Amino acid sequence: MGDVGDLAKLVMAVDGRREIADARERLGHELADCLWSVLVLADRYGVDLVAEFDKMTAGIERHLGAAAAAS
């Protein structure tokens, strides 16, 4: 949870909504740190991230397609 909080603070700083020294330079490290945590959790709990990502993006595409058709 701490890493995600740190990431959120850095994103706010890069967007100019918070003051953090070297936020832009630190952002990449924090993104990589969070990604590492996600990969470790997926491995530990047997989650196929590629399959889950494909399902998630397919759902987004369906939603966007439906929204475009309704416009």
Side-chain angles (χ1 to χ4, degrees), residues 22-69:
D22 302 323
R24 171 71 65 187
E25 292 77 21
R26 294 169 56 189
L27 183 60
H29 172 82
E30 204 58 48
L31 282 165
D33 203 13
C34 289
L35 177 59
W36 178 83
S37 296
V38 168
L39 294 172
V40 167
L41 288 168
D43 182 62
R44 178 176 179 153
Y45 295 108
V47 174
D48 181 345
L49 283 178
V50 172
E52 293 300 325
F53 187 82
D54 287 343
K55 285 193 289 188
M56 182 210 48
T57 55
I60 291 170
E61 288 173 359
R62 279 192 306 277
H63 175 75
L64 292 175

